[in-house]
Amino acid sequence: MAGGVGGARLADGLARAHRTTVGDDPGVPPDLTAVVNTGDDAEIHGLWISPDLDTVMYTLAGLENRTQGWGLEGETFTVHEAMGALGVDTWFLLGDRDLATHVARTAARRTGEPLSTTTARLAAALGVPARLLPVTDDRLATVVDTPDGTLDFQDYFVRRRHADPVRGVRFEGAEVARPAPGVLDALRDADVLVVAPSNPVLSIAPLLSVPGVRQALESRSAPCVAVSPIIGGRALKGPAAEVLTALGHEPSARGVARMYAGLVDVLVVDHADAAQRADIEDLGMRVVVTDAVMRDRPDRARLAREVLAAVQELRS
Ligand code: GDP
Ligand code: CA
């Protein structure tokens, strides 16, 4: 279960960990399914953008921009500049090759193709060694209540640079959204469930808000491991700590543990948060203390192996 950057990195780590186990034989793809948040999806210049799906897709394909945390490596911005010259408001930066993804997605959507089908096609074309599932094919729109009113997610996050005080977060459409084909089966049939170190409020909560998803975790038969995105009271990137605080949660590994109580069996936390171990264990989960920061590609696989080792430990 994944949002954007944190989700993508750990998903890639799991794929890489598998590759070092079975070797680089492309005939043996990892049996890995990423269920990805779509609450951030937006229509920009008439194009349908799925930022979290694309981040996970590009990262698993090895194409991600490793410095900025979104978009593609070696990207150019010719279209963006040309649109700016036309007087178009280009607050949402889209690279040239990235635009191809959005054009393809939008064209497919016009024909009535479900997002999950389009995603599978695009991921296969890019050589993604995993199954990529949007949590739902239906509308799921994260909106943020602020003193200036209710903002669409990208308006809050990108245009206004997540600077507004957050009074509430809602997932429009969630009550009537249906899990995309394969999502509940994947959660039910998995050997291991992993909640990636994604924003608990903005990436994981929308996933859980789709009817059936939270229940699938609550009634899981496989062990579930989460990795804390909060390290030493801070997010590595983005507003996770601020948003947690604004909504009355503690911006800490312990605060994340409270949100995931009943859903996960193990929480992986950073050395910086080792002192919270007992408090987290009191919530009914095991704690693994490690280096929870994924610094480069091999490091993603290292953390993924530690996640899988935690499951072995739980089983033995
Ligand atoms: P977004 O949709 O791109 O904002 O990404 P996510 O919701 O998936 O991830 C954002 C969260 O990922 C932030 O709270 C970060 O702290 C967390 N994150 C990013 N990289 C790492 C990492 O290497 N380790 C851990 N533990 N968390 C990370
Ligand atoms: Ca996101």
Side-chain angles (χ1 to χ4, degrees), residues 156-191:
Y156 157 76
F157 198 83
V158 178
R159 196 204 291 258
R160 298 166 68 108
R161 297 163 201 271
H162 47 78
D164 296 82
V166 174
R167 293 199 171 151
V169 172
R170 290 178 289 120
F171 311 118
E172 288 185 355
E175 316 78 60
V176 290
R178 293 153 302 175
V183 167
L184 294 185
D185 288 345
L187 296 176
R188 196 190 52 221
D189 299 340
D191 299 315

Tab-separated table of all heavy atoms in Angstrom, residues 156-191:
chain	number	residue	atom	x	y	z
A	156	TYR	N	-3.866	22.834	-2.842
A	156	TYR	CA	-3.239	22.938	-1.517
A	156	TYR	C	-1.752	22.602	-1.599
A	156	TYR	O	-0.896	23.337	-1.109
A	156	TYR	CB	-3.943	21.989	-0.541
A	156	TYR	CG	-3.099	21.587	0.650
A	156	TYR	CD1	-2.888	22.469	1.712
A	156	TYR	CD2	-2.492	20.337	0.705
A	156	TYR	CE1	-2.091	22.110	2.794
A	156	TYR	CE2	-1.697	19.971	1.780
A	156	TYR	CZ	-1.492	20.857	2.815
A	156	TYR	OH	-0.695	20.506	3.861
A	157	PHE	N	-1.441	21.485	-2.261
A	157	PHE	CA	-0.099	20.911	-2.144
A	157	PHE	C	0.909	21.613	-3.050
A	157	PHE	O	1.997	21.965	-2.610
A	157	PHE	CB	-0.163	19.420	-2.499
A	157	PHE	CG	1.025	18.638	-2.022
A	157	PHE	CD1	1.087	18.181	-0.716
A	157	PHE	CD2	2.088	18.356	-2.871
A	157	PHE	CE1	2.178	17.459	-0.269
A	157	PHE	CE2	3.181	17.640	-2.425
A	157	PHE	CZ	3.227	17.187	-1.123
A	158	VAL	N	0.534	21.818	-4.297
A	158	VAL	CA	1.499	22.344	-5.268
A	158	VAL	C	1.344	23.852	-5.426
A	158	VAL	O	2.285	24.608	-5.211
A	158	VAL	CB	1.340	21.633	-6.635
A	158	VAL	CG1	2.303	22.224	-7.658
A	158	VAL	CG2	1.590	20.135	-6.481
A	159	ARG	N	0.137	24.301	-5.783
A	159	ARG	CA	-0.019	25.727	-6.065
A	159	ARG	C	0.279	26.575	-4.831
A	159	ARG	O	0.990	27.562	-4.893
A	159	ARG	CB	-1.433	26.037	-6.568
A	159	ARG	CG	-1.494	27.421	-7.225
A	159	ARG	CD	-2.888	28.004	-7.209
A	159	ARG	NE	-3.828	27.328	-8.070
A	159	ARG	CZ	-4.223	27.783	-9.269
A	159	ARG	NH1	-3.730	28.899	-9.745
A	159	ARG	NH2	-5.110	27.109	-9.954
A	160	ARG	N	-0.252	26.144	-3.687
A	160	ARG	CA	-0.068	26.932	-2.469
A	160	ARG	C	1.020	26.351	-1.559
A	160	ARG	O	1.168	26.772	-0.414
A	160	ARG	CB	-1.416	27.052	-1.749
A	160	ARG	CG	-2.461	27.781	-2.623
A	160	ARG	CD	-3.873	27.632	-2.107
A	160	ARG	NE	-4.100	28.316	-0.863
A	160	ARG	CZ	-4.822	29.433	-0.734
A	160	ARG	NH1	-5.399	29.976	-1.779
A	160	ARG	NH2	-4.984	29.982	0.444
A	161	ARG	N	1.775	25.401	-2.089
A	161	ARG	CA	2.961	24.829	-1.433
A	161	ARG	C	2.699	24.352	0.004
A	161	ARG	O	3.474	24.632	0.917
A	161	ARG	CB	4.114	25.828	-1.451
A	161	ARG	CG	4.567	26.159	-2.848
A	161	ARG	CD	5.397	27.425	-2.880
A	161	ARG	NE	5.401	27.969	-4.221
A	161	ARG	CZ	6.288	27.653	-5.168
A	161	ARG	NH1	7.240	26.798	-4.902
A	161	ARG	NH2	6.206	28.181	-6.358
A	162	HIS	N	1.603	23.676	0.199
A	162	HIS	CA	1.161	23.164	1.500
A	162	HIS	C	1.482	24.106	2.662
A	162	HIS	O	1.975	23.698	3.718
A	162	HIS	CB	1.617	21.724	1.764
A	162	HIS	CG	3.070	21.430	1.476
A	162	HIS	ND1	4.066	21.789	2.329
A	162	HIS	CD2	3.666	20.799	0.442
A	162	HIS	CE1	5.225	21.387	1.829
A	162	HIS	NE2	5.003	20.794	0.686
A	163	ALA	N	1.215	25.410	2.434
A	163	ALA	CA	1.502	26.421	3.459
A	163	ALA	C	0.262	26.751	4.300
A	163	ALA	O	0.393	27.327	5.384
A	163	ALA	CB	2.018	27.697	2.788
A	164	ASP	N	-0.940	26.384	3.817
A	164	ASP	CA	-2.157	26.741	4.567
A	164	ASP	C	-2.299	25.865	5.803
A	164	ASP	O	-2.005	24.675	5.757
A	164	ASP	CB	-3.388	26.525	3.684
A	164	ASP	CG	-3.395	27.440	2.475
A	164	ASP	OD1	-2.714	27.105	1.471
A	164	ASP	OD2	-4.053	28.481	2.528
A	165	PRO	N	-2.768	26.447	6.911
A	165	PRO	CA	-3.097	25.611	8.067
A	165	PRO	C	-4.193	24.625	7.674
A	165	PRO	O	-5.148	25.001	6.991
A	165	PRO	CB	-3.622	26.610	9.100
A	165	PRO	CG	-3.228	27.962	8.604
A	165	PRO	CD	-3.073	27.868	7.118
A	166	VAL	N	-4.036	23.383	8.073
A	166	VAL	CA	-5.002	22.342	7.701
A	166	VAL	C	-6.006	22.157	8.822
A	166	VAL	O	-5.618	21.930	9.968
A	166	VAL	CB	-4.268	21.019	7.400
A	166	VAL	CG1	-5.260	19.892	7.168
A	166	VAL	CG2	-3.350	21.187	6.200
A	167	ARG	N	-7.275	22.298	8.502
A	167	ARG	CA	-8.310	22.078	9.523
A	167	ARG	C	-8.966	20.711	9.394
A	167	ARG	O	-9.535	20.202	10.338
A	167	ARG	CB	-9.371	23.165	9.409
A	167	ARG	CG	-8.778	24.520	9.784
A	167	ARG	CD	-9.835	25.533	10.121
A	167	ARG	NE	-9.219	26.715	10.674
A	167	ARG	CZ	-9.725	27.936	10.557
A	167	ARG	NH1	-10.873	28.115	9.913
A	167	ARG	NH2	-9.120	28.957	11.105
A	168	GLY	N	-8.902	20.180	8.207
A	168	GLY	CA	-9.462	18.856	7.997
A	168	GLY	C	-9.060	18.324	6.638
A	168	GLY	O	-8.654	19.089	5.760
A	169	VAL	N	-9.132	17.022	6.495
A	169	VAL	CA	-8.846	16.374	5.216
A	169	VAL	C	-10.001	15.433	4.937
A	169	VAL	O	-10.415	14.689	5.827
A	169	VAL	CB	-7.514	15.587	5.287
A	169	VAL	CG1	-7.309	14.761	4.032
A	169	VAL	CG2	-6.337	16.537	5.488
A	170	ARG	N	-10.552	15.513	3.743
A	170	ARG	CA	-11.678	14.638	3.392
A	170	ARG	C	-11.403	13.954	2.061
A	170	ARG	O	-10.642	14.472	1.246
A	170	ARG	CB	-12.971	15.456	3.300
A	170	ARG	CG	-13.440	15.950	4.681
A	170	ARG	CD	-14.687	16.803	4.599
A	170	ARG	NE	-14.424	18.098	4.020
A	170	ARG	CZ	-15.006	18.566	2.911
A	170	ARG	NH1	-15.872	17.820	2.253
A	170	ARG	NH2	-14.714	19.772	2.450
A	171	PHE	N	-12.017	12.801	1.888
A	171	PHE	CA	-11.811	12.024	0.670
A	171	PHE	C	-13.140	11.935	-0.051
A	171	PHE	O	-13.956	11.051	0.232
A	171	PHE	CB	-11.241	10.648	1.014
A	171	PHE	CG	-10.059	10.746	1.948
A	171	PHE	CD1	-10.104	10.183	3.212
A	171	PHE	CD2	-8.930	11.457	1.562
A	171	PHE	CE1	-9.031	10.309	4.073
A	171	PHE	CE2	-7.855	11.595	2.425
A	171	PHE	CZ	-7.904	11.021	3.686
A	172	GLU	N	-13.351	12.872	-0.956
A	172	GLU	CA	-14.642	12.916	-1.641
A	172	GLU	C	-14.807	11.698	-2.541
A	172	GLU	O	-13.868	11.302	-3.233
A	172	GLU	CB	-14.762	14.209	-2.460
A	172	GLU	CG	-14.943	15.424	-1.563
A	172	GLU	CD	-15.184	16.699	-2.352
A	172	GLU	OE1	-15.123	16.663	-3.595
A	172	GLU	OE2	-15.399	17.742	-1.709
A	173	GLY	N	-15.989	11.146	-2.509
A	173	GLY	CA	-16.292	9.974	-3.333
A	173	GLY	C	-15.987	8.660	-2.650
A	173	GLY	O	-16.392	7.601	-3.121
A	174	ALA	N	-15.278	8.738	-1.515
A	174	ALA	CA	-14.815	7.497	-0.881
A	174	ALA	C	-15.969	6.560	-0.530
A	174	ALA	O	-15.877	5.354	-0.778
A	174	ALA	CB	-14.001	7.816	0.365
A	175	GLU	N	-17.060	7.124	0.006
A	175	GLU	CA	-18.135	6.243	0.503
A	175	GLU	C	-18.702	5.352	-0.600
A	175	GLU	O	-19.137	4.241	-0.338
A	175	GLU	CB	-19.309	7.049	1.108
A	175	GLU	CG	-18.927	8.201	2.025
A	175	GLU	CD	-18.468	9.424	1.254
A	175	GLU	OE1	-19.266	9.946	0.450
A	175	GLU	OE2	-17.309	9.846	1.439
A	176	VAL	N	-18.715	5.883	-1.823
A	176	VAL	CA	-19.329	5.102	-2.903
A	176	VAL	C	-18.294	4.515	-3.866
A	176	VAL	O	-18.647	3.866	-4.846
A	176	VAL	CB	-20.365	5.951	-3.698
A	176	VAL	CG1	-21.586	6.216	-2.831
A	176	VAL	CG2	-19.754	7.250	-4.179
A	177	ALA	N	-17.018	4.760	-3.577
A	177	ALA	CA	-15.974	4.203	-4.450
A	177	ALA	C	-15.893	2.692	-4.233
A	177	ALA	O	-16.092	2.202	-3.129
A	177	ALA	CB	-14.625	4.851	-4.139
A	178	ARG	N	-15.610	1.972	-5.318
A	178	ARG	CA	-15.404	0.530	-5.185
A	178	ARG	C	-13.917	0.242	-5.380
A	178	ARG	O	-13.278	0.870	-6.222
A	178	ARG	CB	-16.207	-0.218	-6.257
A	178	ARG	CG	-17.722	-0.109	-6.073
A	178	ARG	CD	-18.434	-0.248	-7.401
A	178	ARG	NE	-17.980	0.787	-8.345
A	178	ARG	CZ	-18.359	0.870	-9.620
A	178	ARG	NH1	-19.189	-0.026	-10.129
A	178	ARG	NH2	-17.902	1.828	-10.404
A	179	PRO	N	-13.379	-0.687	-4.625
A	179	PRO	CA	-11.972	-1.044	-4.854
A	179	PRO	C	-11.798	-1.485	-6.307
A	179	PRO	O	-12.689	-2.131	-6.864
A	179	PRO	CB	-11.743	-2.214	-3.898
A	179	PRO	CG	-12.854	-2.154	-2.907
A	179	PRO	CD	-14.018	-1.518	-3.594
A	180	ALA	N	-10.678	-1.116	-6.911
A	180	ALA	CA	-10.419	-1.533	-8.300
A	180	ALA	C	-10.323	-3.058	-8.353
A	180	ALA	O	-9.975	-3.699	-7.352
A	180	ALA	CB	-9.131	-0.891	-8.799
A	181	PRO	N	-10.595	-3.640	-9.520
A	181	PRO	CA	-10.483	-5.095	-9.646
A	181	PRO	C	-9.102	-5.557	-9.201
A	181	PRO	O	-8.088	-4.982	-9.618
A	181	PRO	CB	-10.682	-5.333	-11.152
A	181	PRO	CG	-11.445	-4.144	-11.640
A	181	PRO	CD	-11.027	-2.992	-10.777
A	182	GLY	N	-9.078	-6.555	-8.350
A	182	GLY	CA	-7.804	-7.106	-7.900
A	182	GLY	C	-7.330	-6.590	-6.556
A	182	GLY	O	-6.508	-7.226	-5.908
A	183	VAL	N	-7.862	-5.455	-6.127
A	183	VAL	CA	-7.339	-4.859	-4.891
A	183	VAL	C	-7.662	-5.733	-3.682
A	183	VAL	O	-6.769	-6.102	-2.906
A	183	VAL	CB	-7.887	-3.425	-4.689
A	183	VAL	CG1	-7.622	-2.933	-3.270
A	183	VAL	CG2	-7.267	-2.475	-5.715
A	184	LEU	N	-8.923	-6.079	-3.509
A	184	LEU	CA	-9.280	-6.865	-2.316
A	184	LEU	C	-8.675	-8.260	-2.388
A	184	LEU	O	-8.233	-8.806	-1.378
A	184	LEU	CB	-10.801	-6.924	-2.146
A	184	LEU	CG	-11.476	-5.576	-1.835
A	184	LEU	CD1	-12.972	-5.775	-1.560
A	184	LEU	CD2	-10.809	-4.855	-0.671
A	185	ASP	N	-8.624	-8.834	-3.603
A	185	ASP	CA	-7.983	-10.151	-3.756
A	185	ASP	C	-6.510	-10.072	-3.368
A	185	ASP	O	-5.992	-10.953	-2.689
A	185	ASP	CB	-8.083	-10.634	-5.208
A	185	ASP	CG	-9.510	-11.042	-5.566
A	185	ASP	OD1	-10.324	-11.225	-4.631
A	185	ASP	OD2	-9.804	-11.150	-6.768
A	186	ALA	N	-5.849	-9.015	-3.810
A	186	ALA	CA	-4.420	-8.866	-3.496
A	186	ALA	C	-4.218	-8.783	-1.990
A	186	ALA	O	-3.303	-9.395	-1.436
A	186	ALA	CB	-3.845	-7.627	-4.187
A	187	LEU	N	-5.085	-8.017	-1.320
A	187	LEU	CA	-4.941	-7.872	0.130
A	187	LEU	C	-5.265	-9.193	0.838
A	187	LEU	O	-4.641	-9.540	1.836
A	187	LEU	CB	-5.863	-6.759	0.643
A	187	LEU	CG	-5.554	-5.348	0.118
A	187	LEU	CD1	-6.591	-4.352	0.623
A	187	LEU	CD2	-4.151	-4.909	0.539
A	188	ARG	N	-6.233	-9.933	0.284
A	188	ARG	CA	-6.636	-11.177	0.930
A	188	ARG	C	-5.625	-12.293	0.689
A	188	ARG	O	-5.370	-13.110	1.565
A	188	ARG	CB	-8.014	-11.600	0.410
A	188	ARG	CG	-8.701	-12.652	1.267
A	188	ARG	CD	-9.935	-13.203	0.583
A	188	ARG	NE	-9.611	-13.659	-0.760
A	188	ARG	CZ	-10.386	-13.453	-1.830
A	188	ARG	NH1	-11.516	-12.798	-1.721
A	188	ARG	NH2	-10.017	-13.901	-3.016
A	189	ASP	N	-5.026	-12.320	-0.512
A	189	ASP	CA	-4.180	-13.454	-0.881
A	189	ASP	C	-2.691	-13.235	-0.621
A	189	ASP	O	-1.891	-14.143	-0.822
A	189	ASP	CB	-4.372	-13.782	-2.374
A	189	ASP	CG	-5.818	-14.171	-2.683
A	189	ASP	OD1	-6.539	-14.552	-1.731
A	189	ASP	OD2	-6.225	-14.073	-3.860
A	190	ALA	N	-2.317	-12.029	-0.202
A	190	ALA	CA	-0.895	-11.741	-0.036
A	190	ALA	C	-0.272	-12.614	1.054
A	190	ALA	O	-0.936	-12.990	2.018
A	190	ALA	CB	-0.705	-10.266	0.327
A	191	ASP	N	1.007	-12.917	0.894
A	191	ASP	CA	1.756	-13.593	1.958
A	191	ASP	C	2.197	-12.585	3.005
A	191	ASP	O	2.343	-12.919	4.182
A	191	ASP	CB	2.998	-14.271	1.376
A	191	ASP	CG	2.623	-15.321	0.357
A	191	ASP	OD1	1.699	-16.109	0.644
A	191	ASP	OD2	3.231	-15.340	-0.728
